[in-house]
Amino acid sequence: MSLTHQFALVPSSSPLPDHLSFEKWSVYAALLNQTGKKKDANAIFDKLEQQLLASYSAGSQEADIRLASLYALQGKANEALSELETAIAQGWVSDFNQNWWYLQDSPYFAPLADNKTFQRIVANYHQSVNEVFETAKQLASQR
């Protein structure tokens, strides 16, 4: 059974049914968007955004990174970049325990791959992570 036969293209319930994760809903919306079903995709994107804003506390790095990915999938580069910078400033770290990709390889941020600001954010992010690792190594060697 195809995904679209399991439920209406855009469920009328709000919040979205939780039988699919945020990640699956956002990818589904991105696929709808890419196949020309922009109205349906935007309805899901809007519901996801509302759920994120309602369920996470203000200043949550998890909410910010998810909002950034949601905006990137919608082609809202400025909003995505702003949320991404906020998440990183609050301490978000790409973690292979959570994701199997690094920030620059994330399928959620693929629409931003050629964006110079995104590339700068990624470079700054990696520099910061490397500085933390170097500091940790120095502290460990002093023991």
Side-chain angles (χ1 to χ4, degrees), residues 23-94:
E23 291 78 10
K24 290 179 183 174
W25 276 116
S26 60
V27 168
Y28 175 61
L31 289 171
L32 287 173
N33 195 42
Q34 290 296 316
T35 59
K37 299 183 183 324
K38 294 188 184 305
K39 182 178 177 185
D40 294 329
N42 287 335
I44 292 173
F45 282 136
D46 289 345
K47 287 183 180 195
L48 286 170
E49 181 180 7
Q50 290 168 8
Q51 284 179 233
L52 280 174
L53 294 173
S55 64
Y56 286 97
S57 61
S60 162
Q61 59 183 308
E62 184 68 23
D64 291 325
I65 198 69
R66 285 183 171 206
L67 280 170
S69 65
L70 199 61
Y71 292 145
L73 289 172
Q74 293 178 77
K76 297 179 178 179
N78 291 336
E79 293 91 334
L81 295 167
S82 176
E83 291 295 335
L84 181 58
E85 284 185 312
T86 300
I88 291 171
Q90 293 173 352
W92 177 85
V93 177
S94 182

Side-chain angles (χ1 to χ4, degrees), residues 128-143:
S128 296
V129 169
N130 287 336
E131 289 170 4
V132 168
F133 283 134
E134 286 303 315
T135 301
K137 282 177 21 182
Q138 288 173 359
L139 291 173
S141 69
Q142 293 174 0
R143 290 186 176 185

Side-chain angles (χ1 to χ4, degrees), residues 83-105:
E83 291 295 335
L84 181 58
E85 284 185 312
T86 300
I88 291 171
Q90 293 173 352
W92 177 85
V93 177
S94 182
D95 180 353
F96 273 126
N97 293 326
Q98 298 172 355
N99 302 312
W100 53 268
W101 56 78
Y102 287 111
L103 178 60
Q104 70 273 12
D105 301 320

